[in-house]
Amino acid sequence: MRPPASIRWRMRTSILPKPSFTMRTLTIDSLNPALLKVEYAVRGELAIKAEKYRVQLKEPNHGLPFDRVISSNIGNPQQKGLDQPPITFTRQVAALTEWPELAELAPGVFPADVVARAKELMEEIGSVGAYSHSQGVPFIRANVAKFIEERDGFPSDPNHIFLTGGASAGVSLLINMLISSPTSGILIPIPQYPLYTATLAQHNGRPIPYYLDESKGWATSAQEIEAALDKAHKENTVPKALVIINPGNPTGALLDEPTMIQLVHLCEKYSLVLLADEVYQANLHQPENHPFTSFKKVVRELDSHVPLVSFHSISKGVSGECGRRGGYFECTNIPEPIIALIYKMVSVGLCPPLSGQIGVDSMVRPPREGEESYALWKKETDTIHDALRSRTKVMAERLNSLPGVSCVDSPGALYLYPKITLSDKAIEAARAAGKEPDAFYALALLDETGICVVPGSGFGQREGEWHYRLTCLCPGVDEYVGKLEKFHQSFVEKYGA
Amino acid sequence: MRPPASIRWRMRTSILPKPSFTMRTLTIDSLNPALLKVEYAVRGELAIKAEKYRVQLKEPNHGLPFDRVISSNIGNPQQKGLDQPPITFTRQVAALTEWPELAELAPGVFPADVVARAKELMEEIGSVGAYSHSQGVPFIRANVAKFIEERDGFPSDPNHIFLTGGASAGVSLLINMLISSPTSGILIPIPQYPLYTATLAQHNGRPIPYYLDESKGWATSAQEIEAALDKAHKENTVPKALVIINPGNPTGALLDEPTMIQLVHLCEKYSLVLLADEVYQANLHQPENHPFTSFKKVVRELDSHVPLVSFHSISKGVSGECGRRGGYFECTNIPEPIIALIYKMVSVGLCPPLSGQIGVDSMVRPPREGEESYALWKKETDTIHDALRSRTKVMAERLNSLPGVSCVDSPGALYLYPKITLSDKAIEAARAAGKEPDAFYALALLDETGICVVPGSGFGQREGEWHYRLTCLCPGVDEYVGKLEKFHQSFVEKYGA
């Protein structure tokens, strides 16, 4: 229905003479300066270069010294090359909710408990193609509440639970809500998962860094946090919240209950909201020495009134369903008007993805003993736990045996965060290349081996220290660590220890 | 692993004496004031009350004058009670990507083209449980680009396409990016979809309202927009972008190409970014008189350099897959550094849901003639188009025959936006109840019939006018409109015309 040229010309020259020569071109300086300050190393320069290599490798004569890219920069268990298989139960339920007729069309293909589970979910949801309640399907929130009650031994209210598109969406909303002025600050562990600094930068908040103690297995110390609060006070920063990542990312450290009690009391003393990032709560490699305790449990045990928001996700654990974008946060000691404000804000985004919500349901309601799917589920989850535990141990041992490398054998999460000593020569070469020394090391590692890690400068570290984070997800641990060792040796030969 | 009371007591009374009595309680005034200003009527007071009624209806003696709630407040085609069926092809592909083994386990259950499509997708994606490229799976972006090229006859670059979790996520990011200071403003049509004012409030931007002309079928006028710009200039508001919703929400109006040419020239003249919300592009009830033309096509036809971001979604159209959270936006004439900034920001959120991305692929690559799934797909999509067209027509006719009601017979989208004349008596009663008159009318409608609509005050309207938005999705149009008519008559009897 394009009008004839004559008309279009009349339109062009009608009330608005075409003045395109006067049009200012859109430049980045005309945009929100806060967004320019955002940094997110996990998908930064290295990840982008790794993507380029991945494309280049498809060419017949790619000329690269490696034949595949190993993306150790991000905890993405099911990605190509890592291939941690999904839990069959989770996917069977998901497939049936996508096309419920399958139960009749393919009789006997789905276990009875899967068919029953999918039927139960569909009665509550109606269709995975429909918007749900903005806070998440009430039935699924009730199941999350039961999961939390069984875990902690304290009641949980489905009306205080918000299902989300992964934990990140919830963290971002809470930080946006807590930053009430440019002097507002939030306590962030160093090293940290850069989502926190990125979101603070986006919303014009101030990070208040507190350091974890690598010499004590990346321990969290209330004294360190009080020192950081003191410094913030001198800089007229108003602390609003304390972020704790437990199990730690990138450190894999686990908090013991006495420390958690101290941290809750610290939040009481300084009137801080406690933001508990507990997405790795199911990734425990030494549960006997390093069990997981939730902050919800500690807060309830102490009868504390500390406002607590705790985050969980289906992206990690044995679920590893990153691509579904599913998670939840639970609000404890959060006044109802603020719950209503959170509801209003999530309602603008309509609802979390239903496939993620259904993934949350499968995570909090796995098959029980005696149900048809239990045996396979047990076998699959045990295999994932064992593989991650043994890989983490072997990788830590072999990294620690390298010259100038020391690595805390992390009891949780999916990562190791080795410290590397870099020679003055290496540091000079890095500066000359306009890179942080650890980024320089990581780029060389990528260029020579195809292994993509994230430099410590992306997570934070003490002045003059260098680290990198790598995942413990790669299947062929020998090939993987072998490449790391060979590279490190050649780097040391080139630049000295 | 709770330590004995003695230890816990030592912890409590260690370095940090328990000072909970001094803890300031968290109050809403201590939070980001911008979020308090956010309003989103589509899921506001009425929707919340409707949810309460839905729960109440499950009780044996619920005592309500209706036996079901009809949620006409939101375009959610597949919700319970509306039950627009999903497209079988879309769900078959989705089920196979969730559990690929099904193709072998249930031979013959899936059409050959579905099996081939799922296989092709899985080769590119690896697993729907893995994070994808933050911008969206490259293969799916390439398919979106082909779809756009076929639609417009101009090239499209997959690197300038971002897959999103529904259109809202993209709109929110773009507005956050464009609001560079508290004086930044964005031109918003009145009436508008409240996502725009809500997101502007959240990010401390100023809406610059321009009015659509109801007497001309909700026409958009460049003169009106220039008048709004003039007013904004006097208020020291710096206009950054023009939002156009085409087909209109809530109006259902479609722009003709001559008007679109004027609007592009206006963006050139005032150096505005054009934000084109085109999520209803496939919901056309009178395509012969009111076809859809994309702004991408017009910008290319004019060889214009106007920066354009156009949004599309799988939530509307014949797809109606709201719950998957899938969509995309295409950037046209956006400089590369800004594309890189957008990439950085979306990477902090990791990636859009894979089930949404796969839904986008099914939307832009429906079965073609000659493929096994084509006949059923054609039948299903024709049925949806026909039902929406006829319902919209019947509803507009019957609403127009009511005293004091006038309604533009909308040629597109999913809604009608009737104007209602309210008597002084009704307005006084509303004010006495502390409600906007149209909200008062809508609340009475909900209380008496269970039909939930959204008052015009949620979308914006001229001073002293009253409207409401209702969807044209309800299956039993006679029962639905019958209830509306009966209610309106009784309201007029009670309060006068």
Side-chain angles (χ1 to χ4, degrees), chain B residues 210-223:
Chain B
Y210 66 92
Y211 286 87
L212 307 177
D213 187 344
E214 184 168 13
S215 71
K216 295 183 180 142
W218 295 115
T220 302
S221 135
Q223 292 91 327

PDB file of all heavy atoms in Angstrom, chain B residues 210-223:
ATOM      1  N   TYR B 210       1.636  13.199  23.749  1.00  0.00           N
ATOM      2  CA  TYR B 210       0.960  13.772  22.571  1.00  0.00           C
ATOM      3  C   TYR B 210      -0.333  12.990  22.371  1.00  0.00           C
ATOM      4  O   TYR B 210      -0.382  11.788  22.597  1.00  0.00           O
ATOM      5  CB  TYR B 210       1.854  13.741  21.322  1.00  0.00           C
ATOM      6  CG  TYR B 210       2.202  12.365  20.793  1.00  0.00           C
ATOM      7  CD1 TYR B 210       1.413  11.737  19.812  1.00  0.00           C
ATOM      8  CD2 TYR B 210       3.329  11.685  21.246  1.00  0.00           C
ATOM      9  CE1 TYR B 210       1.733  10.474  19.317  1.00  0.00           C
ATOM     10  CE2 TYR B 210       3.661  10.425  20.751  1.00  0.00           C
ATOM     11  CZ  TYR B 210       2.858   9.828  19.797  1.00  0.00           C
ATOM     12  OH  TYR B 210       3.176   8.573  19.312  1.00  0.00           O
ATOM     13  N   TYR B 211      -1.375  13.712  21.980  1.00  0.00           N
ATOM     14  CA  TYR B 211      -2.705  13.110  21.949  1.00  0.00           C
ATOM     15  C   TYR B 211      -3.046  12.536  20.581  1.00  0.00           C
ATOM     16  O   TYR B 211      -2.739  13.133  19.554  1.00  0.00           O
ATOM     17  CB  TYR B 211      -3.763  14.130  22.381  1.00  0.00           C
ATOM     18  CG  TYR B 211      -3.716  14.378  23.874  1.00  0.00           C
ATOM     19  CD1 TYR B 211      -2.856  15.338  24.409  1.00  0.00           C
ATOM     20  CD2 TYR B 211      -4.491  13.621  24.757  1.00  0.00           C
ATOM     21  CE1 TYR B 211      -2.782  15.549  25.785  1.00  0.00           C
ATOM     22  CE2 TYR B 211      -4.423  13.820  26.127  1.00  0.00           C
ATOM     23  CZ  TYR B 211      -3.571  14.786  26.630  1.00  0.00           C
ATOM     24  OH  TYR B 211      -3.491  14.992  27.994  1.00  0.00           O
ATOM     25  N   LEU B 212      -3.672  11.357  20.605  1.00  0.00           N
ATOM     26  CA  LEU B 212      -4.218  10.755  19.382  1.00  0.00           C
ATOM     27  C   LEU B 212      -5.643  11.269  19.211  1.00  0.00           C
ATOM     28  O   LEU B 212      -6.310  11.604  20.189  1.00  0.00           O
ATOM     29  CB  LEU B 212      -4.186   9.230  19.507  1.00  0.00           C
ATOM     30  CG  LEU B 212      -2.816   8.635  19.867  1.00  0.00           C
ATOM     31  CD1 LEU B 212      -2.922   7.116  20.028  1.00  0.00           C
ATOM     32  CD2 LEU B 212      -1.775   8.996  18.819  1.00  0.00           C
ATOM     33  N   ASP B 213      -6.104  11.338  17.949  1.00  0.00           N
ATOM     34  CA  ASP B 213      -7.399  11.970  17.646  1.00  0.00           C
ATOM     35  C   ASP B 213      -8.500  10.909  17.522  1.00  0.00           C
ATOM     36  O   ASP B 213      -8.640  10.262  16.481  1.00  0.00           O
ATOM     37  CB  ASP B 213      -7.268  12.776  16.347  1.00  0.00           C
ATOM     38  CG  ASP B 213      -8.522  13.601  16.064  1.00  0.00           C
ATOM     39  OD1 ASP B 213      -9.582  13.329  16.689  1.00  0.00           O
ATOM     40  OD2 ASP B 213      -8.448  14.517  15.226  1.00  0.00           O
ATOM     41  N   GLU B 214      -9.279  10.763  18.595  1.00  0.00           N
ATOM     42  CA  GLU B 214     -10.340   9.742  18.622  1.00  0.00           C
ATOM     43  C   GLU B 214     -11.355   9.988  17.509  1.00  0.00           C
ATOM     44  O   GLU B 214     -11.859   9.040  16.907  1.00  0.00           O
ATOM     45  CB  GLU B 214     -11.029   9.739  19.998  1.00  0.00           C
ATOM     46  CG  GLU B 214     -12.072   8.642  20.158  1.00  0.00           C
ATOM     47  CD  GLU B 214     -12.527   8.454  21.599  1.00  0.00           C
ATOM     48  OE1 GLU B 214     -12.231   9.318  22.451  1.00  0.00           O
ATOM     49  OE2 GLU B 214     -13.151   7.416  21.884  1.00  0.00           O
ATOM     50  N   SER B 215     -11.614  11.269  17.200  1.00  0.00           N
ATOM     51  CA  SER B 215     -12.632  11.584  16.186  1.00  0.00           C
ATOM     52  C   SER B 215     -12.179  11.119  14.803  1.00  0.00           C
ATOM     53  O   SER B 215     -12.984  10.991  13.881  1.00  0.00           O
ATOM     54  CB  SER B 215     -12.889  13.094  16.158  1.00  0.00           C
ATOM     55  OG  SER B 215     -11.770  13.775  15.605  1.00  0.00           O
ATOM     56  N   LYS B 216     -10.885  10.881  14.634  1.00  0.00           N
ATOM     57  CA  LYS B 216     -10.375  10.361  13.348  1.00  0.00           C
ATOM     58  C   LYS B 216      -9.852   8.932  13.521  1.00  0.00           C
ATOM     59  O   LYS B 216      -8.804   8.567  12.983  1.00  0.00           O
ATOM     60  CB  LYS B 216      -9.272  11.270  12.812  1.00  0.00           C
ATOM     61  CG  LYS B 216      -9.765  12.676  12.459  1.00  0.00           C
ATOM     62  CD  LYS B 216      -8.648  13.525  11.865  1.00  0.00           C
ATOM     63  CE  LYS B 216      -9.145  14.921  11.522  1.00  0.00           C
ATOM     64  NZ  LYS B 216      -8.137  15.953  11.802  1.00  0.00           N
ATOM     65  N   GLY B 217     -10.543   8.158  14.354  1.00  0.00           N
ATOM     66  CA  GLY B 217     -10.132   6.756  14.540  1.00  0.00           C
ATOM     67  C   GLY B 217      -8.785   6.638  15.217  1.00  0.00           C
ATOM     68  O   GLY B 217      -7.963   5.816  14.840  1.00  0.00           O
ATOM     69  N   TRP B 218      -8.557   7.519  16.192  1.00  0.00           N
ATOM     70  CA  TRP B 218      -7.302   7.509  16.957  1.00  0.00           C
ATOM     71  C   TRP B 218      -6.096   7.769  16.058  1.00  0.00           C
ATOM     72  O   TRP B 218      -5.046   7.124  16.174  1.00  0.00           O
ATOM     73  CB  TRP B 218      -7.126   6.194  17.717  1.00  0.00           C
ATOM     74  CG  TRP B 218      -8.151   5.952  18.790  1.00  0.00           C
ATOM     75  CD1 TRP B 218      -9.083   4.973  18.811  1.00  0.00           C
ATOM     76  CD2 TRP B 218      -8.337   6.711  20.002  1.00  0.00           C
ATOM     77  NE1 TRP B 218      -9.851   5.065  19.960  1.00  0.00           N
ATOM     78  CE2 TRP B 218      -9.404   6.128  20.703  1.00  0.00           C
ATOM     79  CE3 TRP B 218      -7.696   7.849  20.547  1.00  0.00           C
ATOM     80  CZ2 TRP B 218      -9.874   6.615  21.927  1.00  0.00           C
ATOM     81  CZ3 TRP B 218      -8.166   8.326  21.762  1.00  0.00           C
ATOM     82  CH2 TRP B 218      -9.234   7.724  22.435  1.00  0.00           C
ATOM     83  N   ALA B 219      -6.237   8.741  15.181  1.00  0.00           N
ATOM     84  CA  ALA B 219      -5.148   9.079  14.252  1.00  0.00           C
ATOM     85  C   ALA B 219      -3.986   9.748  14.987  1.00  0.00           C
ATOM     86  O   ALA B 219      -4.178  10.435  15.990  1.00  0.00           O
ATOM     87  CB  ALA B 219      -5.676  10.017  13.169  1.00  0.00           C
ATOM     88  N   THR B 220      -2.777   9.512  14.479  1.00  0.00           N
ATOM     89  CA  THR B 220      -1.568  10.170  14.970  1.00  0.00           C
ATOM     90  C   THR B 220      -1.280  11.353  14.064  1.00  0.00           C
ATOM     91  O   THR B 220      -1.344  11.227  12.840  1.00  0.00           O
ATOM     92  CB  THR B 220      -0.377   9.190  14.924  1.00  0.00           C
ATOM     93  OG1 THR B 220      -0.702   8.049  15.716  1.00  0.00           O
ATOM     94  CG2 THR B 220       0.891   9.840  15.461  1.00  0.00           C
ATOM     95  N   SER B 221      -0.973  12.520  14.647  1.00  0.00           N
ATOM     96  CA  SER B 221      -0.743  13.710  13.842  1.00  0.00           C
ATOM     97  C   SER B 221       0.612  14.342  14.168  1.00  0.00           C
ATOM     98  O   SER B 221       0.928  14.583  15.337  1.00  0.00           O
ATOM     99  CB  SER B 221      -1.871  14.720  14.089  1.00  0.00           C
ATOM    100  OG  SER B 221      -1.347  16.022  14.265  1.00  0.00           O
ATOM    101  N   ALA B 222       1.391  14.573  13.126  1.00  0.00           N
ATOM    102  CA  ALA B 222       2.705  15.208  13.303  1.00  0.00           C
ATOM    103  C   ALA B 222       2.557  16.586  13.956  1.00  0.00           C
ATOM    104  O   ALA B 222       3.383  16.990  14.774  1.00  0.00           O
ATOM    105  CB  ALA B 222       3.418  15.322  11.964  1.00  0.00           C
ATOM    106  N   GLN B 223       1.478  17.291  13.622  1.00  0.00           N
ATOM    107  CA  GLN B 223       1.268  18.625  14.218  1.00  0.00           C
ATOM    108  C   GLN B 223       1.100  18.507  15.734  1.00  0.00           C
ATOM    109  O   GLN B 223       1.673  19.276  16.493  1.00  0.00           O
ATOM    110  CB  GLN B 223       0.030  19.313  13.613  1.00  0.00           C
ATOM    111  CG  GLN B 223       0.194  19.704  12.151  1.00  0.00           C
ATOM    112  CD  GLN B 223      -0.275  18.615  11.196  1.00  0.00           C
ATOM    113  OE1 GLN B 223      -0.149  17.416  11.501  1.00  0.00           O
ATOM    114  NE2 GLN B 223      -0.812  19.020  10.062  1.00  0.00           N
TER     115      GLN B 223
END
